[in-house]
Structures are given as structure tokens and as C-alpha cells.
Amino acid sequence: MKRLSLIDSAFLMLESRETPMHVGGFNLFTLPEGANEQEFLHGLADNMRTADELQSPFGEKLKVGRLGMLGPLYWEPDNSLDLEYHIRHSALPKPGRFRELFALVSRLHGTLLDRNRPLWEMHLIEGLQDRQFAVYSKFHHAAIDGVRSIHLTQSMYSADPNERIHHSPLSMAARDRYLQALQLDAPSDEELRNVADRLKAAFDSSGHLLGALRRYAGAWTGNSPLVVPWQNVPRSTINTKVDGARRFVAQSWPFARIRAVGKAMDGTFNDAVLAMCAGALRIFLLNHGELPRESLKSMVPVSLRRPGDMESSNAVGAISADLATNIKDPIKRFRAIKASMEAGKAMFQDMSANEASLFLQLIQMPGLLLIPLGLGSRFPPYSTVISNVPGPRQPMYWNGARLEGIYPASIVTEGIALNITLVTYDTQVDFGIMACRRTLPQVQRFIDYLEDSLVELEEAAGISAPGAGATAKAKTRAKVKAGTKSKARSKAKTKAKSKAKPGPKTKAVAKTKAKTKAKTKVKAKAKTKARPKAKAKAKSRPKARPKMRASASA
Amino acid sequence: MKRLSLIDSAFLMLESRETPMHVGGFNLFTLPEGANEQEFLHGLADNMRTADELQSPFGEKLKVGRLGMLGPLYWEPDNSLDLEYHIRHSALPKPGRFRELFALVSRLHGTLLDRNRPLWEMHLIEGLQDRQFAVYSKFHHAAIDGVRSIHLTQSMYSADPNERIHHSPLSMAARDRYLQALQLDAPSDEELRNVADRLKAAFDSSGHLLGALRRYAGAWTGNSPLVVPWQNVPRSTINTKVDGARRFVAQSWPFARIRAVGKAMDGTFNDAVLAMCAGALRIFLLNHGELPRESLKSMVPVSLRRPGDMESSNAVGAISADLATNIKDPIKRFRAIKASMEAGKAMFQDMSANEASLFLQLIQMPGLLLIPLGLGSRFPPYSTVISNVPGPRQPMYWNGARLEGIYPASIVTEGIALNITLVTYDTQVDFGIMACRRTLPQVQRFIDYLEDSLVELEEAAGISAPGAGATAKAKTRAKVKAGTKSKARSKAKTKAKSKAKPGPKTKAVAKTKAKTKAKTKVKAKAKTKARPKAKAKAKSRPKARPKMRASASA
């Protein structure tokens, strides 16, 4: 029996019907050529169920001691493991667009895991268009964190389209094979690019916890760019009580586009991601007429995981980033974000992993206590959470089915009704946006705002021709997303029509040859509600188009 | 604001992750000829969403007072009602058999309703075979009971296949229309046949609560056939702790077959239902080598609802029935069951509705207290719950889609891992069997045991030719149900093959012309796991076949 760490236990203690504490997301695949959907999916499920010995956490359930949930908690093997329960077949109602997929994922993510069993579920989802299928999975955050889940993903899949895996991806054998591959293939660690990656190198140097705490304490009074939780966090729409229902949307952007912004502004990829999100939040708040005078703050989880560590369930720390949403100029906003991230990172620079972990537990503790008291929504420690998880940087396959995207689905908590998590995969960045359904019913508009924000940054950095932004914005609307009846949707229809002059039944497919470094092929679809029949093509600039790899049937 | 009754509140207070307290089930339909599935289902959903003013409980959410869940609770209008949340589209994975439907219903029934919203969900389920679709609905038991849900069903549907309903079935307009129909069409009350129906007549006579309580108290010591909760309830497999996951199976039998057994043995239809279930439980326990010496006891809910009462959410009382599972002879078993039911009913004979309700609250109270203490599984008040809900006695339609069956899904509680609920609809009796997934993983075998038990009763009553039972039993196996890998399933395959000698890919369809009074057309299908292609037909005796109206593609 393994004892859970304090942080792992906290995810269980804080969980309520309104705030399920599981993470996950859906992976999107294209069926191998000639494969029959039903047979292929049943084959995958059967293969998963064949494991003799399961790698953690697939076969472990929670053991509560005599003191109940407030006492020490343990993982113990589930001797009556029922894999049929954990591995499930699901299907989308017709027409099987991403809209239907997002609706299903929103629902699946809104229900609690059964604590009498190992804390995970996996859903093989059929009924998508274009010979695609999806696998939604759900792990309790007490059992797994984002980086660990990417390790699991990598150990399940293969970079070789012709490889057929004969042992269950849930098995110890799959884990061993993967760990071996990690050792043999040193550069794969390079792929785990993350803000934390740089920190890791410093973790084992001698620590200065006292100094860090002093600096932290100083931030409450001084003029330091270091942002600390609860300090000047404004009230906004996204910082209210939440309920249990969720709304989920997802979209991909080319990695090269976002990195180019970071480079041009002398910052990191992660700085550019934060700036992109900050701009989107600013547009969202302006559109709702409620931009707070104080800037929004974001919790930015950083990985404290050492290279090759597949064992720890949660090796996550947190930096508070100032999103500078009160700054109109995108360049100044970028700089403010970058400065706050650097100040946050400096805090950890001199600490060992253990010290950092202890430090984070200390500074997060007031938050852990506020949530059960129901005060999280009145005193939110952050405005939102933006989490950047490094994924495999090459195309992956699962028994020949190409992995098209890794769309993460994370946690919404009391007072923080929005979570933006992204995974870098292959040449793209896959965003998964999770929101409280009641607080943010229009969360699908965020997809547009993220693109608008990226274009604004590109223009400010001088890496796109003037005027391209405006065109881009209009084009942006033409894509699959959760909200059909939004203005954006009808714009897409109009745009497609004006370009292509199709008949009364319209299906607009805008094709593009991507000229970016990422060499991605981009396709965006707009579908009218009335089951479109006719086709029309329109050219557009690739750079200005967010893409869901998903929607590319290439 | 309406205040909840004590019983209604109890369903909320007792609810936990392990014991969700909602009831519901799925209604099965055949699409009208020529209708497109997707358009038809979206039409139904759109129509439902158009209501201006909703009938209770669709638009009401829970309001908790200052004292929390232990203080008084109220219903209040939900001013931000989100019908998209409550009315959902779902689909079955291929091949869309009842197996897949039961798996989906089991899952949907295992998750908690969101207490921040009106306590109901409705799922339009597509992807079934034979142009069928299903509507699974789920209501919190605090908001609705079985009879009320049938009233709702009736108010949604029409007896006229050509009628198209233009107002939302959730609306007050639908309710008014239905109440009007009730008054105009007096015999429709006759359809609410139920054990309670006879009680109702007596309810408003002068009451003798004291006498009833004395009789009740006497049962603990005397030799009365009256069974009271906790008295001599044996421990058995089905009386253990439960967890949150469920297994659900459903099946139909001809009403005429079960009623004939009741008549032949000088009992009621309900006595025959209880005897059929008791026999099935006896077979189940014998097969597991754990038949207790004491007989199992069943809670039998009785309706205390007055004719035309659409307002009360729970007008449910309970009789404790002795299932006489320790008696081998089916005739003696039937008599013991009948005697205990009569003794139970006599208790209520002299009481007014209010007195009966008060009485039931008093005698059930110890149970309500035991469950939160976690002692329900150690001291179960009953062994199981068998609930008989009267439904419409004529074919019903929803905008032209024929209602093929009403399969109820009810509650499993701590210590009572099995619930059998049945609805009489048209010429059939639709059983829905809900079980704790971990405690009763093989619950699908119950379907066979119920048929075996009914045949045993028929033989004992001399209403079937000697030897017919054996044939019947074998035929019985050839039907769609949740458990594919059970022995019964392989028997079905074998049977079908031996009759029809088909090729290697087998699909056996056994067709029958029903000669019973019920004039039902009966069809049973057995499908091999390997996606059958070939067809074969086999004749069989109609009487001896349980049918899922479901599986009749007539």
C-alpha cells in the first residue's frame, strides 16, 4: 500500500458534486485505411482488457483508514477489478460533428468517478465524421497529473504507423517497454519542453527556502513583479460559484505561429501562450462590459517532475502570472506577463525539488482551506488556470490509427470557472477549454478570441502583413465548434456563401496550403444547420487560421 | 415555494454517491414510417424545448434553507433554466442491440443528478436496430414517484398515431390537456390497476390508526401472516453494501400469461408477479448455493395517490411481503405470499390517506435513520423491492412513433442491491431490473429465472401442457439481453443452429404467431458476437416465450 501525499489527498478532500477533481481529455484518431470502425474499436478495447499486471494507477483503488477522509489515505490493489466498467464504448448522435463530441465530453467530464474503484474511465467514442474516432479518458487528479498522463499516452502509442502492440497499454509490460525507450532514446526528454524543464536542472542545487519565503512575503507589500495568490485578484464573471455541469471546447493552432510570437518579443513559447490567453480574456471581458481595473491573475502549473519519473502522481507546482489584462498595448502586455513569470520562476531557482514541493504546499494551503468553507468564490486566489503540458513532438499511432490531436480537459473549481490547458503535439498546440456551464455558457467564443488575440500579437510583433488580421478574423469563423447559434457561426455561413456562391444547400470547405514552417495542412469547415449537401471551396491565408487538426480530413 | 414533505426530503438526505435516489427508465419507440431518425429526434427535442410555462417538476429546483439539508427544503422556480442541459441527444455504439442500450442505461442511471438544477434529465437515444429509438429519463425520487411518472408519460403521448402534439409535453398546456382528458374519459382511472387501487376506495373511511399500529406491534411476537420490516429478514448476497455503479436489464412478458396464473391460483395479478419474482430469487439463490433458511422479504410499494392527483410527488406507501423463498412447492409458496399481502393490505384497510401516510412514515423511520449510519447493509429492513406500476392499457404514440415498451429503472440502496420494477403497458408487462454492478454482476440471468419461475407456476396451476415448460425454457434463451457470454446465450446460439442449420455466420430469428388473448406478436432474436449475417427461422410456442416488445420489429 502506498500512502497518498498531502497534495494528492487534497484533491480528494476538496472534491464535491460541484467541483469534480478529475483531469483527462480526448485524443482524436483517424482509422487506419480499410479498417472497420466497430471491429477496430472492439479490438482496441479487447487488447486493453488483456493485461495481467496493470501499471499504476489502473489497478489501484483508494483505501481510507480509520480516520476517514481526513486521516491518511492509501492506494491498494483492487482485487475485483472490473475492466468492462472502466473501458467503455460510446457513440455520438448524428451528424457526429465536433459539436456533438464536445457535448459528450462536457457531460462525461461533469460526473464524479466512483471512489470504490480505481479512479479512471476510458471511453472509445465512435460515430465521428471522416473516419475519425476519439478516446476520452478521465483520471482523478489524486492519481495522476498532466505530465504523467502524457507519459501514459506515450506508453500506449507508437511513433511507427506499422507497429501493432500486443500487450495491453495498461500493463506493466507497456510501461517497461516505454521506460526502456526513454533510456535508449535520450532526446525524447528534450521533448518535455515546459517552463519547469529549466527549473528541474536547478532543483538539486542547495536550497534557499527561507530566502524564497522572504521574497514571497515581500511581494505583499513591495513593488516586485512577483505575483502571489489572493493579491489584487479582481472579481470577474469567471470568479463565481460553480456548479457541476461543464462546457468544453477544443481547438488546435500551429506551434510555429505561437513560438514565432514568443521569439519576436524576446520571450518563451509559454510567455506567448499566456499572452494569447490574456488577450482573449481581455476581449471576452470587454465584450461583456466588465473588464476589471486590476489585471487578471493566472495560476500557471509547473512540473516538478524529474526526467524519467513515471511514478509520482502529482509533481506539480504553481507560479502566479500577471495576465496584464488591464494593458491595452499588446507589446506592453506581453512584457508585463513575461516579467511576472520570470519573477515566479526565480522563486524556485534555488530550491531543491523537495523544498519547492514543501514551499508550494505552504503557500497553497490557505486556498485548500478556503474551498471547503465555500469561500473560494469570494476570495479567489487566481482568476484562471492556464496550463501548458508538453506532449510528443512527432506523429503518434495506436495500432496504425493516427493520433490527430491531444485535447486536454481539466478542472474547474469554486471561484475559478475557467481552465485553459494545452498540449504541444507534433507540429500543433491543442487547446482544451473547460468551463462551468452556468457561469460561461458562451465559452465557445473563446476559440475566436484566442485567434483574435494571436493575430493582434502577430501584428504588434510585425510578423504578419498589416491588414492580414482583419481578413484572418473573418476567416476564423469558418470552423467546427460547440456553439452553432452564435453570431460567429452565421458569419461563417455568410462568408462561405459570399466566397463561393453555392446553391441553397451549402457546405463550405475552405482549403489552404500552409506555408508556415510547421508545414501543416489546414482545413476549416462550416456547416449549416440544415445538413448541407453542396460543396464550395475558398482560399484563405494559412497563418490566420486556427485549425483543429481534428477537422482536417487530409 | 412549495415545501417538501418529510418523505420527499428523506430521498435527498439519504442520497450518496453509492446510492443515487433517482427513478426513471427508458421508453422504447418505433419511428413512424418514412421518418428520418435524426430529423425526427431533433424535432422531438426542439418541441420539448418550446414550453413557456413548465409543469412540475420540470422547471423547479431545490431551495435549501438556512438549516441546510437537515432543515426544511423547498421547490422554487429555476429562473435560469437551461433546457439544453436537461434534454440530451445520445447514441449507441454499433451494433446497437439491447445489450448496448442496457449498458448505456446502466451508466446513465449510475450518476447523480445536479442539485443546482431541476432534478431531471431526458436522453433521446439513437442508433438502435430496426428503426427503433429510446428515451431514457431520470427524475429524483424527491420530485416524482412511479405513478406520477406514468401520468407524465401519458400526458406526453397520445393514443392516436396520427396526432401531432404542438405544445411541449413539458408544458402546463400539456398537463391541462391531460387532466381534461382524465375527466372526460372516466375509465382511464380503471387503468391504474394496482394493489393500492383497492386501498384507495377505503382511504377516506373513518380511520383506525391505533388499531393498525397495534396489529403491527403484534406481528413482532405473534403468529400473524403480517410481515414487518427487519423481522426475520435473512442475510443474502443481495443484502450487502452497494457502490455507485449499476447493471440494468429489461424484458417484457404478456400480461395475459401472468394474470392467468393469478386467476388459476385464486390471487391477484400482483400476487402472481410477486410469486414469479420469488421463484426467480429462489433459483438464483439455489444456483449460488446460498438459499437462506428464512424466506426473503420484499418491500412492495403501494400507491396512496387519489384518482386524478397529479400534484403530489410521492404518494407511496409500503407493504412487506413474505416471498416464501424457503418453500419448494410453487402452490404453497403462492399461498404464503398471498396471505402476507392480504395481511399487509388489511393494515391500511381502515385508514384514511393521511393516516396511512403518517403510519408509513412512523414505521419506515427506523430505516431512514439506519441508512446514514451505514447500518442498512447489516440490518436490511427488506431483502428486495418489487414494485408494480400501472401504465396505459392501450398502444400509445409520440408524434406518430409507436411506444413499444416502458421499462422502469429504479433505486438500489444500502443493503438492498436489487430492485425489480414493472409497468403494465398495452398487452404486456415490462420489467426493469436494477442491480448494484459489483454485488450482482450476473443480473441478466434473472431474466431467465423469471421465465423459469413463471413456467413453474403455470405448470403447477395446470394451465400449460405438461412438458411445455421444458421446451419453453430452452426457447427462452433466444432473446436479446445484456449478458452475452452467459451460458444462456450460448444455448440460444446452439438452439437456433440446431433448428435452422445455418452457415457459419448465424443470425437466428425465431418467429411466432401469438395465440394468446393478448394477441401479441412475439419475436426473439439471438445474435452471435461475431456480427451475424445469415438468417434462420424457428417456430416455437408463444405462451412459453418471454418477450421484449422491444425485440419485436413487427
Side-chain angles (χ1 to χ4, degrees):
Chain A
M1 286 203 310
K2 278 183 300 190
R3 183 164 164 176
L4 275 74
S5 75
L6 186 59
I7 287 264
D8 289 358
S9 301
F11 284 115
L12 289 160
M13 287 191 282
L14 297 184
E15 188 168 58
S16 71
R17 284 183 176 204
E18 283 72 31
T19 57
M21 289 286 173
H22 47 252
V23 292
F26 74 89
N27 287 352
L28 191 80
F29 295 89
T30 301
L31 284 170
E33 232 166 281
N36 169 287
E37 182 181 52
Q38 192 187 337
E39 276 170 17
F40 190 83
L41 292 183
H42 279 267
L44 291 180
D46 289 345
N47 175 248
M48 280 197 280
R49 294 191 195 107
T50 56
D52 290 329
E53 200 187 352
L54 293 168
Q55 58 174 312
S56 166
F58 295 113
E60 292 168 359
K61 65 173 186 174
L62 206 62
K63 185 172 167 63
V64 179
R66 281 194 211 161
L67 297 173
M69 287 304 296
L70 293 172
L73 303 174
Y74 304 89
W75 295 118
E76 65 171 4
D78 182 356
N79 295 322
S80 54
L81 186 69
D82 174 4
L83 280 174
E84 293 264 351
Y85 173 86
H86 295 277
I87 299 165
R88 305 167 172 202
H89 291 277
S90 291
L92 298 183
K94 282 186 272 297
R97 297 162 303 183
F98 290 110
R99 184 188 177 188
E100 281 77 28
L101 179 60
F102 295 164
L104 179 61
V105 169
S106 302
R107 270 183 231 160
L108 294 175
H109 209 70
T111 61
L112 294 166
L113 287 162
D114 184 347
R115 288 200 182 179
N116 297 296
R117 301 170 186 272
L119 291 166
W120 63 280
E121 289 172 13
M122 203 170 279
H123 299 251
L124 296 161
I125 302 170
E126 61 184 63
L128 272 92
Q129 298 180 339
D130 300 327
R131 289 184 57 72
Q132 294 190 323
F133 69 93
V135 180
Y136 165 77
S137 46
K138 179 170 165 179
F139 292 91
H140 203 284
H141 208 330
I144 204 168
D145 67 15
V147 173
R148 177 80 209 286
S149 75
I150 294 295
H151 274 297
L152 276 177
T153 302
Q154 297 223 51
S155 76
M156 291 174 85
Y157 308 145
S158 162
D160 177 359
N162 297 314
E163 186 170 354
R164 298 295 175 271
I165 301 169
H166 296 293
H167 42 239
S168 167
L170 313 182
S171 66
M172 287 299 278
R175 176 180 160 281
D176 294 344
R177 189 184 66 106
Y178 177 64
L179 278 180
Q180 225 164 21
L182 271 188
Q183 281 165 349
L184 293 175
D185 188 3
S188 71
D189 262 337
E190 292 298 315
E191 296 161 8
L192 304 174
R193 293 163 315 89
N194 186 304
V195 180
D197 273 14
R198 285 186 237 164
L199 296 177
K200 278 177 191 159
F203 276 162
D204 291 319
S205 69
S206 66
H208 298 280
L209 189 58
L210 189 62
L213 281 168
R214 276 191 191 134
R215 233 174 301 157
Y216 178 78
W220 288 91
T221 49
N223 231 343
S224 148
L226 180 64
V227 178
V228 298
W230 290 280
Q231 193 197 29
N232 302 328
V233 174
R235 305 289 300 272
S236 79
T237 317
I238 57 178
N239 302 113
T240 57
K241 279 184 76 66
V242 297
D243 67 20
R246 298 286 170 264
R247 261 192 210 275
F248 176 74
V249 288
Q251 180 77 298
S252 296
W253 275 266
F255 178 75
R257 264 186 85 189
I258 303 175
R259 190 175 53 185
V261 165
K263 275 195 177 166
M265 299 216 190
D266 202 25
T268 65
F269 167 75
N270 199 56
D271 293 336
V273 163
L274 292 175
M276 184 174 162
C277 296
L281 281 163
R282 189 179 147 85
I283 299 169
F284 173 82
L285 293 166
L286 279 173
N287 284 1
H288 283 73
E290 54 178 23
L291 182 69
R293 287 175 60 185
E294 289 280 357
S295 81
L296 266 59
K297 312 294 184 294
S298 176
M299 175 193 173
V300 180
V302 294
S303 173
L304 305 178
R305 187 178 296 279
R306 286 152 212 264
D309 173 11
M310 294 257 300
E311 306 306 325
S312 317
S313 54
N314 282 296
V316 175
I319 288 177
S320 288
D322 181 352
L323 293 181
T325 45
N326 51 357
I327 300 178
K328 195 182 171 198
D329 180 65
I331 295 179
K332 284 184 188 156
R333 200 187 311 136
F334 188 98
R335 282 188 197 139
I337 293 168
K338 189 186 155 205
S340 83
M341 282 302 291
E342 280 170 355
K345 283 183 260 180
M347 291 260 305
F348 291 99
Q349 213 66 44
D350 309 324
M351 284 189 254
S352 74
N354 279 340
E355 285 169 347
S357 168
L358 180 61
F359 175 81
L360 284 159
Q361 288 182 25
L362 286 170
I363 62 165
Q364 291 192 341
M365 207 39 81
L368 299 187
L369 291 174
L370 277 184
I371 298 180
L373 292 172
L375 297 173
S377 56
R378 282 208 235 161
F379 305 107
Y382 314 97
S383 314
T384 186
V385 176
I386 302 171
S387 184
N388 167 10
V389 180
R393 302 307 308 274
Q394 75 213 66
M396 300 294 283
Y397 298 84
W398 190 10
N399 274 7
R402 192 186 193 284
L403 179 62
E404 302 288 358
I406 302 175
Y407 300 95
S410 194
I411 294 175
V412 154
T413 57
E414 203 57 71
I416 306 174
L418 178 74
N419 177 301
I420 303 174
T421 300
L422 49 131
V423 174
T424 45
Y425 165 57
D426 192 16
T427 60
Q428 68 201 31
V429 186
D430 300 335
F431 281 69
I433 300 175
M434 186 60 71
C436 168
R437 183 180 170 102
R438 195 189 290 277
T439 314
L440 297 169
Q442 316 244 284
V443 71
Q444 72 275 9
R445 296 198 183 156
F446 249 87
I447 299 290
D448 292 324
Y449 301 154
L450 281 168
E451 170 64 16
D452 294 346
S453 167
L454 182 56
V455 168
E456 182 188 51
L457 287 164
E458 286 171 333
E459 285 175 353
I463 50 177
S464 71
T471 322
K473 263 190 258 182
K475 297 277 176 49
T476 298
R477 318 298 191 190
K479 68 184 174 299
V480 179
K481 58 172 194 257
T484 36
K485 283 168 193 171
S486 70
K487 279 184 197 168
R489 186 152 200 93
S490 53
K491 275 189 199 168
K493 228 165 99 185
T494 323
K495 194 77 200 173
K497 275 189 182 170
S498 66
K499 281 269 174 189
K501 291 171 196 149
K505 291 186 176 180
T506 308
K507 178 180 175 183
V509 179
K511 270 199 181 169
T512 316
K513 280 225 167 167
K515 283 162 196 168
T516 60
K517 281 179 199 164
K519 284 179 201 155
T520 43
K521 218 172 176 183
V522 180
K523 196 185 280 184
K525 290 182 184 178
K527 297 207 170 169
T528 62
K529 219 190 157 193
R531 277 131 231 145
K533 286 281 152 14
K535 271 195 176 184
K537 289 181 184 182
K539 290 240 167 188
S540 70
R541 295 174 61 92
K543 192 184 259 181
R545 168 81 38 69
K547 90 186 224 309
M548 177 124 172
R549 179 94 197 187
S551 62
S553 58
Chain B
M1 285 203 309
K2 278 183 300 191
R3 182 164 163 177
L4 275 73
S5 75
L6 186 59
I7 286 265
D8 289 359
S9 301
F11 284 115
L12 289 160
M13 286 190 282
L14 296 185
E15 187 169 60
S16 71
R17 284 181 175 206
E18 282 72 32
T19 57
M21 290 286 173
H22 47 251
V23 291
F26 73 89
N27 287 353
L28 191 80
F29 295 90
T30 301
L31 284 170
E33 232 165 278
N36 170 285
E37 182 181 52
Q38 192 187 339
E39 277 170 18
F40 190 83
L41 292 184
H42 279 268
L44 292 180
D46 288 346
N47 175 248
M48 280 197 279
R49 294 191 194 108
T50 55
D52 290 330
E53 201 188 350
L54 292 169
Q55 58 172 313
S56 168
F58 295 113
E60 291 168 358
K61 65 174 185 173
L62 206 62
K63 185 172 168 62
V64 178
R66 279 194 213 161
L67 297 174
M69 287 306 294
L70 293 172
L73 303 174
Y74 304 89
W75 295 118
E76 65 171 3
D78 182 354
N79 296 321
S80 54
L81 185 70
D82 175 3
L83 280 175
E84 293 263 350
Y85 174 85
H86 295 278
I87 299 165
R88 305 167 171 201
H89 291 278
S90 291
L92 297 184
K94 282 185 274 295
R97 297 163 302 181
F98 290 110
R99 185 188 177 187
E100 282 77 28
L101 179 61
F102 295 163
L104 179 61
V105 169
S106 302
R107 270 183 231 160
L108 294 175
H109 209 71
T111 61
L112 294 166
L113 287 162
D114 184 348
R115 289 201 182 178
N116 297 295
R117 302 171 186 271
L119 291 167
W120 63 280
E121 289 172 12
M122 205 171 278
H123 299 251
L124 296 160
I125 303 170
E126 61 183 64
L128 272 91
Q129 298 181 339
D130 300 327
R131 289 184 58 71
Q132 295 189 322
F133 69 93
V135 179
Y136 165 78
S137 47
K138 180 169 164 179
F139 292 90
H140 204 284
H141 209 331
I144 204 168
D145 66 15
V147 174
R148 178 79 210 285
S149 76
I150 295 294
H151 273 299
L152 276 176
T153 301
Q154 297 223 52
S155 77
M156 291 174 84
Y157 308 144
S158 162
D160 177 359
N162 297 314
E163 185 172 354
R164 297 296 176 272
I165 301 169
H166 295 293
H167 42 239
S168 167
L170 312 183
S171 65
M172 285 301 277
R175 176 179 160 281
D176 293 344
R177 190 183 65 105
Y178 177 64
L179 278 181
Q180 226 164 21
L182 270 188
Q183 282 165 351
L184 293 174
D185 188 2
S188 72
D189 263 338
E190 290 299 315
E191 296 160 10
L192 303 175
R193 292 164 315 89
N194 187 303
V195 180
D197 273 14
R198 285 186 237 165
L199 296 178
K200 278 178 191 160
F203 276 163
D204 291 319
S205 68
S206 67
H208 299 278
L209 188 59
L210 189 62
L213 281 169
R214 276 191 191 133
R215 233 173 301 158
Y216 178 78
W220 287 92
T221 48
N223 231 343
S224 149
L226 180 64
V227 177
V228 299
W230 289 281
Q231 194 197 26
N232 301 328
V233 175
R235 305 289 300 274
S236 79
T237 317
I238 57 178
N239 303 113
T240 57
K241 280 183 76 66
V242 297
D243 67 20
R246 297 287 169 264
R247 261 192 209 276
F248 176 74
V249 288
Q251 180 75 300
S252 296
W253 274 266
F255 177 74
R257 263 187 84 189
I258 303 175
R259 190 174 52 184
V261 165
K263 276 194 178 167
M265 298 215 190
D266 201 25
T268 65
F269 167 75
N270 198 56
D271 293 337
V273 163
L274 292 175
M276 185 174 160
C277 296
L281 282 163
R282 189 178 147 85
I283 300 169
F284 173 82
L285 294 165
L286 279 173
N287 284 1
H288 282 74
E290 53 178 25
L291 181 69
R293 286 175 60 184
E294 290 279 357
S295 82
L296 267 60
K297 312 295 183 295
S298 175
M299 176 194 172
V300 180
V302 294
S303 173
L304 305 177
R305 187 179 295 279
R306 286 152 212 264
D309 172 12
M310 294 258 301
E311 306 306 324
S312 317
S313 54
N314 281 296
V316 176
I319 287 176
S320 287
D322 182 351
L323 293 181
T325 46
N326 51 357
I327 300 178
K328 196 184 170 197
D329 179 64
I331 294 178
K332 285 184 189 159
R333 201 187 311 134
F334 188 96
R335 283 187 196 139
I337 293 169
K338 189 186 156 205
S340 83
M341 281 303 289
E342 281 170 354
K345 282 183 261 180
M347 292 260 304
F348 292 99
Q349 211 69 42
D350 309 324
M351 284 189 254
S352 74
N354 279 340
E355 285 169 346
S357 170
L358 180 60
F359 175 81
L360 283 159
Q361 287 182 26
L362 285 170
I363 63 165
Q364 290 193 342
M365 206 40 79
L368 300 187
L369 291 174
L370 276 184
I371 299 180
L373 292 172
L375 297 174
S377 56
R378 281 209 235 159
F379 305 107
Y382 314 97
S383 313
T384 185
V385 176
I386 302 172
S387 184
N388 167 11
V389 179
R393 301 308 309 275
Q394 75 214 67
M396 300 293 284
Y397 297 85
W398 191 11
N399 275 8
R402 191 185 195 285
L403 178 62
E404 303 286 0
I406 301 175
Y407 300 94
S410 193
I411 294 175
V412 154
T413 57
E414 202 58 69
I416 306 175
L418 178 73
N419 176 300
I420 303 174
T421 300
L422 49 131
V423 174
T424 45
Y425 165 57
D426 192 15
T427 60
Q428 67 200 31
V429 186
D430 300 336
F431 280 70
I433 300 175
M434 185 59 72
C436 167
R437 183 181 169 102
R438 194 189 290 277
T439 314
L440 296 170
Q442 316 244 284
V443 70
Q444 71 276 7
R445 296 199 183 157
F446 248 87
I447 299 291
D448 293 324
Y449 300 154
L450 281 169
E451 170 65 14
D452 294 346
S453 168
L454 181 56
V455 168
E456 183 187 50
L457 288 165
E458 286 172 332
E459 285 175 352
I463 50 176
S464 71
T471 321
K473 262 189 259 182
K475 296 277 175 50
T476 297
R477 319 298 191 190
K479 70 187 173 297
V480 179
K481 57 173 194 251
T484 37
K485 283 168 193 168
S486 70
K487 277 184 199 168
R489 189 155 199 91
S490 54
K491 276 189 198 168
K493 228 165 100 187
T494 321
K495 194 77 201 170
K497 275 190 182 171
S498 65
K499 283 268 174 189
K501 290 169 196 152
K505 291 186 176 181
T506 306
K507 177 180 176 184
V509 179
K511 269 199 182 168
T512 313
K513 280 224 169 167
K515 284 162 196 168
T516 61
K517 280 180 201 165
K519 284 179 202 157
T520 43
K521 219 173 176 182
V522 181
K523 196 183 282 184
K525 290 181 185 180
K527 296 205 173 172
T528 62
K529 219 190 157 192
R531 279 130 229 147
K533 287 281 149 22
K535 272 195 175 182
K537 288 179 184 182
K539 290 237 169 191
S540 69
R541 295 174 61 93
K543 194 184 256 179
R545 168 80 38 71
K547 92 186 222 312
M548 176 125 172
R549 178 93 200 188
S551 62
S553 59

